[in-house]
Amino acid sequence: QVQLVESGGGLVQPGGSLRLSCAASGFSIRSAAMSWYRQAPGKERELVAAITMIDGNANYADSVKDRFTISGDNAKNTVYLQMNSLKPEDTAVYYCNAVRRILVSNYNYWGQGTQVTVSS
């Protein structure tokens, strides 16, 4: 059974840092495109960062470039989002996403989300 479990959210002051973790089970993250999304109250869910573990290629939303870093540990089957220089506008529920391609179909999986609140 495929499962994604996020952790690491919390309350942090502006300018602070947090590291989110997404522990995957039921598949290898090397076989998937892994992403972090976020959704703020009253807003649509948006893509924050994505990585393909097989080649390490990563992409970021303009709003988080040079502040956030997505990475993964194949041995732990876990993807991370290091968030530095946090701003109040980064406040949102952060979701881990995996897209697996099996034969000719794409399968999309989501974690339950972890709350990040940036406030003084």
Side-chain angles (χ1 to χ4, degrees):
Q1 182 179 357
V2 172
Q3 194 172 14
L4 300 172
V5 179
E6 300 103 332
S7 60
L11 173 63
V12 63
Q13 292 187 341
S17 298
L18 281 175
R19 188 177 80 157
L20 305 184
S21 299
C22 171
S25 58
F27 72 101
S28 169
I29 60 173
R30 282 182 58 87
S31 69
M34 303 297 299
S35 305
W36 286 96
Y37 285 73
R38 67 185 181 188
Q39 188 166 20
K43 294 188 177 181
E44 292 188 357
R45 193 172 295 191
E46 63 173 352
L47 177 65
V48 175
I51 188 169
T52 47
M53 291 302 300
I54 199 163
D55 59 11
N57 187 37
N59 292 284
Y60 300 90
D62 288 342
S63 59
V64 306
K65 268 181 190 173
D66 301 323
R67 298 190 299 123
F68 291 11
T69 302
I70 188 170
S71 63
D73 185 328
N74 288 320
K76 295 182 178 180
N77 215 36
T78 298
V79 176
Y80 304 99
L81 185 67
Q82 177 67 44
M83 305 185 295
N84 299 328
S85 303
L86 282 161
K87 304 175 181 179
E89 50 263 44
D90 294 318
T91 296
V93 178
Y94 283 70
Y95 297 90
C96 182
N97 172 266
V99 176
R100 303 173 65 204
R101 185 163 183 84
I102 301 173
L103 297 178
V104 297
S105 299
N106 286 330
Y107 293 83
N108 203 12
Y109 304 97
W110 293 94
Q112 82 287 352
T114 185
Q115 176 71 47
V116 171
T117 302
V118 185
S119 175
S120 54

